[in-house]
Amino acid sequence: MINSDLIKLRRELHANPELSCFEFETAKIIKGFIANHHPTEIIENIGGTGFAIIYRYPKKGKSITIRCELDALPIQEENTFNHHSKKAGVSHKCGHDGHMAIVSGLVYWLKEQPFKCGEVVLLFQPAEENGRGAKMVVKDERFRKLKTDYLFALHNIPKVPLHEIIVIEKGFSAEVQSFIVRVKGKKSHASEPENGINPAFTISKIISSFSELEVIEPEDENFTLITPVHINMGQIAYGISPENGEIHYTLRTWSSEKCLILKTKISSTIQKICQTNGLNFEIEWLEYFPASANHIECNSHIIKAATKNHLKIYERSYPFKFGEDFGWFAKEYKTAMFGLGAGINTPALHNADYDFPDEIIETGITMFKSVISNILQG
């Protein structure tokens, strides 16, 4: 049975979305909801606007962190239902509102548990969408002092049947690195391009060369996707042959090692092409999402939880291609992230008409309850 208070909370969060690093009202709504559920401790301002709700039991034992995300996206919502976004150009199109409702819903259960030892940390993390939040949390001394043993998270996955649990042995999501290539030639009259260095040919060579580096079959361990997302060159002035141009990309691999090799290849390719054509260049690397690895022990707890609750398990053979900054936690802790089916007919993530399905809130809570019980009673 779906808790009506959690649906109300989820829809309030949906109606009041906030962008990465500015989730002040979102945090206030969540803390107001949890205040009456008697946590042992609340740690404020972790990694910026983030915070942790902690339930400690009588004796020292294993520490389990359940993480969700606070931020929304810079997308104008198309939906017209009553809980649609009140903020122009900002909306919850990745389901973080639903993830927060799931993690918040654990407080009803945690405050009543007779566990003899251990602690549970409910982590509300800022700035997932720009890749900064998890890194800021990992570096925050207040979080590090918790010395958590396990970190778990979920992500809803549209186009997968409702309530289905997706587990991935290799890891949940790709290594993602965005970057900008800026090239500088020499301006001239458009009637005399030979007196300048127009960057158009160099840009086209870079695009062509990058496409040759791709391995687009996701089941290949050398999977490599290099996607151009923005190109800018010159100005709308038909008498001028331009000097400046830039290309924006994201690259995706299955591991940090492959990503590092690819970045070296990209840098040398750009250098060779620009030197050949007489252009200066610079590369700016930004918005980095480490690959989100799944620890074998943590993954086993997820499978046990799904089996115990008679939920269908889909064992996916390769990670999702999107970025997830949960990978920052995987660098230092035992972690695992699983997918939760959001329905075959639910619009895809980041679509303007997407909305988190309320019926899977209880499924997410049930999974986390079983994971926590397996560890603290084990």
Side-chain angles (χ1 to χ4, degrees):
M1 182 178 178
I2 302 174
N3 185 314
S4 60
D5 288 340
L6 291 178
I7 294 176
K8 182 180 178 182
L9 171 65
R10 202 282 295 179
R11 295 182 179 182
E12 182 181 5
L13 293 167
H14 188 96
N16 296 278
E18 294 175 299
L19 294 176
S20 302
C21 301
F22 296 95
E23 308 96 329
F24 302 105
E25 185 63 26
T26 302
K28 184 178 178 181
I29 291 170
I30 294 289
K31 284 182 278 191
F33 178 85
I34 289 174
N36 295 326
H37 294 280
H38 314 298
T40 308
E41 183 182 2
I42 299 177
I43 304 176
E44 305 268 8
N45 304 318
I46 294 180
T49 55
F51 58 98
I53 307 295
I54 304 174
Y55 286 85
R56 291 194 178 94
Y57 299 98
K59 295 182 180 180
K60 189 173 179 60
K62 296 293 185 181
S63 175
I64 306 164
T65 295
I66 309 295
R67 169 268 202 177
C68 63
E69 320 94 315
L70 294 167
D71 54 341
L73 285 156
I75 296 174
Q76 178 65 42
E77 179 156 41
E78 293 181 354
N79 298 315
T80 58
F81 42 54
N82 289 337
H83 62 278
H84 69 84
S85 173
K86 296 176 183 177
K87 297 186 180 180
V90 183
S91 57
H92 275 293
K93 294 301 161 192
C94 209
H96 294 179
D97 52 337
H99 301 169
M100 287 185 278
I102 289 170
V103 176
S104 297
L106 287 168
V107 300
Y108 291 96
W109 178 75
L110 287 171
K111 68 181 181 181
E112 303 294 342
Q113 290 313 295
F115 295 128
K116 295 179 180 179
C117 60
E119 71 176 16
V120 178
V121 179
L122 306 181
L123 175 62
F124 294 83
Q125 177 209 303
E128 187 280 326
E129 294 292 354
N130 63 16
R132 300 176 190 171
K135 182 179 181 180
M136 293 189 295
V137 170
V138 167
K139 289 179 174 294
D140 194 310
E141 196 58 35
R142 288 164 299 174
F143 181 76
R144 299 183 74 86
K145 284 181 178 178
L146 293 173
K147 296 183 179 179
T148 197
D149 296 292
Y150 305 96
L151 268 134
F152 294 93
L154 62 73
H155 206 295
N156 78 98
I157 305 295
K159 312 307 176 187
V160 173
L162 283 170
H163 314 296
E164 190 164 297
I165 304 302
I166 305 159
V167 295
I168 313 171
E169 181 179 343
K170 294 180 180 179
F172 187 79
S173 59
E175 181 105 353
V176 181
Q177 175 74 74
S178 298
F179 66 99
I180 305 170
V181 182
R182 297 185 180 93
V183 296
K184 183 177 178 64
K186 184 178 180 181
K187 190 177 294 183
S188 68
H189 197 289
S191 68
E192 299 176 331
E194 67 275 13
N195 292 331
I197 304 175
N198 189 307
F201 177 73
T202 296
I203 289 174
S204 68
K205 287 290 291 181
I206 290 171
I207 293 171
S208 176
S209 296
F210 285 0
S211 67
E212 293 174 5
L213 296 174
E214 290 190 306
V215 179
I216 61 173
E217 175 50 58
E219 296 206 22
D220 192 315
E221 65 176 12
N222 295 312
F223 167 76
T224 301
L225 186 64
I226 312 175
T227 306
V229 296
H230 179 70
I231 300 175
N232 185 31
M233 189 189 78
Q235 63 196 80
I236 303 175
Y238 298 99
I240 300 173
S241 177
E243 62 179 338
N244 296 324
E246 64 180 46
I247 326 169
H248 296 236
Y249 274 94
T250 65
L251 64 87
R252 298 163 196 271
T253 65
W254 288 151
S255 71
S256 298
E257 293 76 19
K258 299 292 183 185
C259 186
L260 186 60
I261 292 169
L262 184 59
K263 287 173 69 174
T264 301
K265 287 182 180 179
I266 285 171
S267 296
S268 62
T269 297
I270 293 168
Q271 182 177 24
K272 182 178 180 180
I273 292 171
C274 287
Q275 285 180 346
T276 299
N277 293 284
L279 282 87
N280 295 317
F281 74 93
E282 66 175 22
I283 306 171
E284 180 183 356
W285 303 99
L286 66 163
E287 289 203 4
Y288 171 56
F289 294 81
S292 196
N294 282 340
H295 191 278
I296 186 170
E297 182 183 353
C298 295
N299 238 9
S300 69
H301 286 302
I302 290 169
I303 293 170
K304 286 179 185 177
T307 302
K308 178 181 178 180
N309 292 290
H310 308 290
L311 294 168
K312 185 176 180 181
I313 298 173
Y314 167 36
E315 295 192 32
R316 185 179 165 104
S317 60
Y318 54 86
F320 290 100
K321 291 187 282 185
F322 55 72
E324 231 300 341
D325 77 348
F326 192 69
W328 284 107
F329 296 112
K331 289 177 178 291
E332 299 196 33
Y333 301 95
K334 292 181 180 180
T335 65
M337 194 168 192
F338 64 92
L340 175 56
I344 296 295
N345 297 318
T346 298
L349 300 175
H350 293 207
N351 279 17
D353 59 343
Y354 167 89
D355 185 39
F356 185 91
D358 289 323
E359 51 263 61
I360 64 173
I361 291 174
E362 287 295 334
T363 309
I365 292 171
T366 297
M367 281 292 297
F368 284 135
K369 284 163 61 174
S370 293
V371 167
I372 292 166
S373 294
N374 288 341
I375 295 171
L376 294 189
Q377 293 177 343

